[in-house]
Structures are given as C-alpha cells and as structure tokens.
Amino acid sequence: MIRFFRSGNPLTVLLLLIYTLLVKFYYLIHPAAHMADGSEGLLYSLLVKWIQVLTGGSAFVFTALAVMLILLQSLLLTKIINHHRLFPKPTYLPAMCYLLFTSLLQSWNVFSPALLVNVIMLWVFSSITELYTRTSARDVVFNIGFALGMCGLIYFPSIIFCLLLLVSMLIMRAFRLAEWIIAILGLICPIYLMGTYLFLTNQMTLLRQIPNIGLSLPLITDYKVWGAMIACLLFFVLGWLLLQRPLMKMLIQGRKIWAVLIVYVAVAMLVPFFNVHFSPAYWVLAVLPIAMFAGNVFWSVTNETFANVIHFIVLGYMIVMQYFS
C-alpha cells in the first residue's frame, strides 16, 4: 500500500479519499458534536451558531465537516510539500500520515477551533516558505500576521504562533526591524477590526470573549492520549533523524523550511497549555507538521515490505483504540 502513496500520481487522490473513509469510518458512525469547552474564540462561536441554524445541530454533520477539513488539509499539505520539493520526488505520504495519525484520538476528529486554525496555518506556512526568495517581504509578513490574528479570533491561544512567525523571519531572512513591526501590526489588525465592528453594532459585551487564554499544567491520565502522542513524537524524532543525510543535499531554502518545521512543531505542542481548560484535542495543531516528518520515515524506508509492516502496526493500533478499547 505504501508504494501507492509514495507515488506523486494525481490519481492517488482517489485512493486518499478511500483511505479517509477507512480510517475515519468509526468516527462517522459514532459522530460527536462540535467542541465547546470554553477555550473557543468569538468567530468560532458565531460560525457554530450559524451551522446549527442550518443543520439543526446534527452531530453527524459536524463530524462529516471535521473529516472533510482533515482531508482538505492533507491535500493542501501535499501541494505545499511537492511545490517546494521537500522530498526528492512528488509524494502523498505526508497526506496519508496526517489522515492516519489524526485517527489515533477521537478528539482530533471532532469539529473544533483547532481544525479551522490548521487550515489557516497551512496558508501561513506556505507564505513563510516564500520569505527566503523575496527581496522585500513587508506585504507577506503583514498578511501572515493578519492570518495569525484571524486564528486568534477563532482560538485565542493560537496567537502564540506569532513566535513561529518571528523565529521563521530570523531563519529565512536577515533581521529588518520594519518587517517585524509590520508583522505585529498585521497581528493586531483583525482584533482591531472586530472591535470596531462590535462597537458600531452595539455589541461591545462580546469583546470580552476575545482574550480567552489561561495557563494549564494538567496531569494526563488517559492512556489513549499518551498512546497517540507517543506515536506522533516517535515518528517525529525518527523522521528528523532520517532527514539528516538527504538534508545536506538540499538547497538552502529547503534546509531552512525544514528548520522552520521544527519550530512549528515545538510551538504547536505548547499552544494547548495556554487554554482556559486544557484539552488534548488542540494537539492536532502539532500533528499537521509532524505528518511531514512521519512521511519522511516511510519515504526513507526503501524496503517496501518493512514500510508496509510499520504502516499496518500503526493502522492496527488505531483500529484497536477505535473499536476494542
């Protein structure tokens, strides 16, 4: 099976669709309502209310939307990877890994602010990869800052991704104070516009919902969470170690992009700790960049039989956690 995803054939998209139905089938027949744990942002709350009006609050509709978002993200991730040639040849392995690893934990398949933020973060990551080749990047950093500000309105702790932007600017470009100021202005702009709209429509009480942030250091006792996170981190470390040799043969831009991905994983792992109420569901933010390193594990294992064995071990663990735990 791995050899089909290793290929960059566009027809592999059809196989990805079938694979999505396979790994997400349990969640579709046992749908869960949208996430509402008190950490969501103002835009997310408004969007959920609108969907509830249209669908009557159907749990299946919300789960189906979550699965479609995950599939869309896997395809967009593949497009970015293949465009920048982060692998020697076009491949759908990271997309497969994202679909597989998000299936390890049920809360990663619930319609949540994190899934919406992941869509925007794909655009943010794609824009960050362009910083290296731009002579002037003021428009790009403003747009990235603006996108991160929108993420903050959906899920306020995601505003911490501004660290990703600032560190990425240090990695991809020489330091320019003007670009940093413009990036911060872009970050503030969506919150300012939302505040202006609420003021003009006499809804200033909603403004209190925007800075929705806290600090949590929880004791995690759920073995499913530990299993999912250990699997993700194991593939992340293996993917990084296996990347060292081919990394030396890459162009400078490619090496810098992989360095940005390391920062992306680190920041995304920290974000859920700034929830009002901690939830492992928000670690799906980290699964997105980790999928690229996991894809490199399967790419680097040239023995097809061994690669398939690794895949079926993870797939088998997923099925046990879904149906028999």
Side-chain angles (χ1 to χ4, degrees):
M1 179 178 286
I2 292 298
R3 69 186 180 92
F4 294 111
F5 291 113
R6 188 188 295 269
S7 167
N9 191 327
L11 292 177
T12 309
V13 174
L14 296 176
L15 182 59
L16 270 179
L17 179 59
I18 297 171
Y19 191 77
T20 302
L21 294 176
L22 171 66
V23 297
K24 307 295 183 185
F25 183 72
Y26 177 85
Y27 304 121
L28 290 171
I29 61 175
H30 297 91
H34 65 280
M35 180 170 289
D37 63 349
S39 298
E40 60 272 9
L42 180 58
L43 278 185
Y44 175 78
S45 299
L46 295 174
L47 176 62
V48 165
K49 289 179 182 177
W50 180 71
I51 295 174
Q52 286 177 325
V53 169
L54 289 179
T55 65
S58 169
F60 177 79
V61 171
F62 277 108
T63 302
L65 285 173
V67 170
M68 285 190 288
L69 280 173
I70 292 172
L71 176 60
L72 174 65
Q73 290 162 22
S74 70
L75 294 174
L76 292 175
L77 180 65
T78 298
K79 183 178 180 181
I80 295 169
I81 291 169
N82 292 340
H83 175 71
H84 290 286
R85 299 180 181 179
L86 298 182
F87 286 80
K89 295 180 181 178
T91 179
Y92 284 88
L93 283 173
M96 181 209 76
C97 289
Y98 184 59
L99 292 168
L100 178 61
F101 282 88
T102 52
S103 302
L104 294 177
L105 197 63
Q106 183 169 11
S107 58
W108 291 346
N109 297 270
V110 175
F111 188 83
S112 67
L115 285 181
L116 297 177
V117 168
N118 265 350
V119 176
I120 300 177
M121 285 306 300
L122 279 168
W123 183 88
V124 167
F125 173 66
S126 179
S127 299
I128 287 174
T129 61
E130 298 176 5
L131 291 176
Y132 180 76
T133 57
R134 298 290 295 263
T135 53
S136 175
R138 295 182 180 185
D139 55 337
V140 178
V141 296
F142 179 84
N143 291 338
I144 295 173
F146 190 92
L148 292 176
M150 292 297 295
C151 289
L153 292 176
I154 295 171
Y155 170 55
F156 193 76
S158 65
I159 209 81
I160 297 167
F161 276 119
C162 66
L163 293 175
L164 172 63
L165 171 58
L166 299 179
V167 176
S168 297
M169 290 171 67
L170 288 176
I171 294 173
M172 303 295 284
R173 301 180 62 77
F175 176 77
R176 294 180 176 87
L177 181 60
E179 292 179 355
W180 282 54
I181 294 173
I182 290 171
I184 294 171
L185 288 175
L187 187 69
I188 297 171
C189 192
I191 301 174
Y192 172 78
L193 292 175
M194 177 60 74
T196 303
Y197 169 76
L198 294 176
F199 174 76
L200 293 175
T201 56
N202 197 27
Q203 302 180 74
M204 287 297 288
T205 54
L206 294 177
L207 200 60
R208 298 174 184 173
Q209 298 182 24
I210 293 179
N212 198 5
I213 197 168
L215 181 61
S216 303
L217 295 173
L219 178 63
I220 301 172
T221 57
D222 190 344
Y223 67 93
K224 291 186 178 181
V225 175
W226 278 108
M229 291 309 301
I230 289 173
C232 289
L233 291 176
L234 176 62
F235 273 82
F236 166 63
V237 173
L238 286 175
W240 173 244
L241 292 176
L242 292 170
L243 185 66
Q244 299 310 300
R245 182 175 293 180
L247 200 64
M248 301 304 296
K249 302 177 183 178
M250 290 185 187
L251 298 174
I252 295 176
Q253 183 180 7
R255 295 201 293 268
K256 287 180 178 290
I257 291 173
W258 280 106
V260 167
L261 279 166
I262 294 287
V263 180
Y264 188 175
V265 173
V267 175
M269 289 293 294
L270 291 176
V271 169
F273 293 107
F274 292 89
N275 281 7
V276 176
H277 305 289
F278 175 83
S279 172
Y282 293 99
W283 268 327
V284 74
L285 294 168
V287 179
L288 187 62
I290 285 175
M292 294 186 63
F293 293 92
N296 185 58
V297 173
F298 288 106
W299 179 271
S300 301
V301 178
T302 54
N303 187 309
E304 187 177 323
T305 302
F306 187 49
N308 281 320
V309 168
I310 297 173
H311 173 252
F312 283 118
I313 288 174
V314 180
L315 188 64
Y317 173 78
M318 178 209 74
I319 292 172
V320 170
M321 289 298 102
Q322 287 181 352
Y323 293 94
F324 304 106
S325 64

